[in-house]
Amino acid sequence: MKHFLSLQNSSADEIVALIDSAAALKAGRRTAGAPQPLAGQCWGMMFSKSSTRTRVSFEVGIRELGGNAMFFSGNDLQLGRGEPIKDTARVMGRMIDGAVIRNDSQADLEEFARFAGVPTINALTDLEHPCQILADLLTMREVCGGWDGRKVAFIGDADCNVARSWVWAAKHLGFELALAGPDGYRPPEEWLAGVGAPNVAATADFGAAVEGADVLYTDVWVSMGREAEAAARREAFRDYQINADLAAKAKPGAAVMHCLPAYRGMEITEEVLEAHADTIFREAENRLHAQKAVLAALAPA
Ligand code: CP
Ligand code: NVA
């Protein structure tokens, strides 16, 4: 693995190996002799969008693996004043050992990776949030005992970056995924047909999606960059909320997961979130362990 840019272009073996490694790093955290594959390295983090979990978990993870993290927000680099990505990448790639990027465009991320010549990690783009789903899969393994034969129901903005990374995870790993979102907020049928995963279905019927589910999952209704559409989205998603009634339709004992940040009273109720807080904040912690696995897999020797 040279970069970690998407789950689309990851293989099942790579995903499982990363989760195994994440579990081992989690178990061995803070023990004497914990591995330091980033010793002496400087990793650059370029984030043009806000972040709590991703930023903190990468900064802590890089340090725990022996490296140094440098954080740049959208305005810190000349990139914010129009310097081309390929020039930024060629400059930074001569100095840093690896890059972690959160931006608006998967194409820009891929261009950076091509020109920088150093391992590059997707920390969220318009199309994917692969680090989030790695942490979610680790959480599923811990909470549900794995994903084989399980059903995940994604409720809400079923065509967002997090939902699309779930689609690729389901395609590679074979678990059942039901995406429930209103018209206009589900992956286009032709796109899903192109993915070619018969175990993935998209529907407007949130009740049917949740039936038999082992995991109910949601994300914000208004993703970063979509703030101008907030009113229309809140109206469209009004019924696509994980609340006690919907949760009762899932398999008894089903887990509820949320990538966070959570907006109570919108995509999830306070009651359901707090009832499942152990799982949801475990998921947040697992960002650290999953991303350390990615960093360790990509670290230049
Ligand atoms: N889930 C997630 O990526 O959170 P942040 O936006 O806070 O990084
Ligand atoms: N879909 C959300 C994920 C936040 C972690 C967004 O892009 O804002």
Side-chain angles (χ1 to χ4, degrees), residues 50-55 102 129 132 224 259-261 287:
S50 304
S51 172
T52 298
R53 281 142 288 271
T54 311
R55 177 177 177 175
R102 167 170 286 201
H129 196 3
Q132 177 68 53
M224 292 180 278
C259 58
L260 300 175
R287 298 293 307 278

Side-chain angles (χ1 to χ4, degrees), residues 179-191:
L179 300 163
D183 292 352
Y185 299 97
R186 297 189 298 276
E189 277 174 26
E190 55 285 9
W191 182 82

Side-chain angles (χ1 to χ4, degrees), residues 8 159 164 167-168 171 179 186-202:
Q8 176 175 1
D159 196 26
R164 287 213 181 192
V167 169
W168 293 113
K171 172 173 170 79
L179 300 163
R186 297 189 298 276
E189 277 174 26
E190 55 285 9
W191 182 82
L192 264 185
V195 171
N199 50 321
V200 177

Side-chain angles (χ1 to χ4, degrees), residues 48-106:
S48 66
K49 291 176 161 181
S50 304
S51 172
T52 298
R53 281 142 288 271
T54 311
R55 177 177 177 175
V56 175
S57 53
F58 266 112
E59 290 205 27
V60 171
I62 289 168
R63 283 173 201 170
E64 287 190 3
L65 295 175
N68 296 293
M70 289 180 296
F71 182 84
F72 306 100
S73 72
N75 292 327
D76 290 329
L77 302 173
Q78 296 285 7
L79 195 57
R81 298 180 63 245
E83 184 170 20
I85 288 162
K86 61 184 181 183
D87 292 359
T88 307
R90 284 179 287 188
V91 170
M92 296 193 74
R94 286 165 182 260
M95 303 183 205
I96 61 175
D97 295 287
V100 181
I101 297 183
R102 167 170 286 201
N103 71 7
D104 271 327
S105 157
Q106 182 77 24

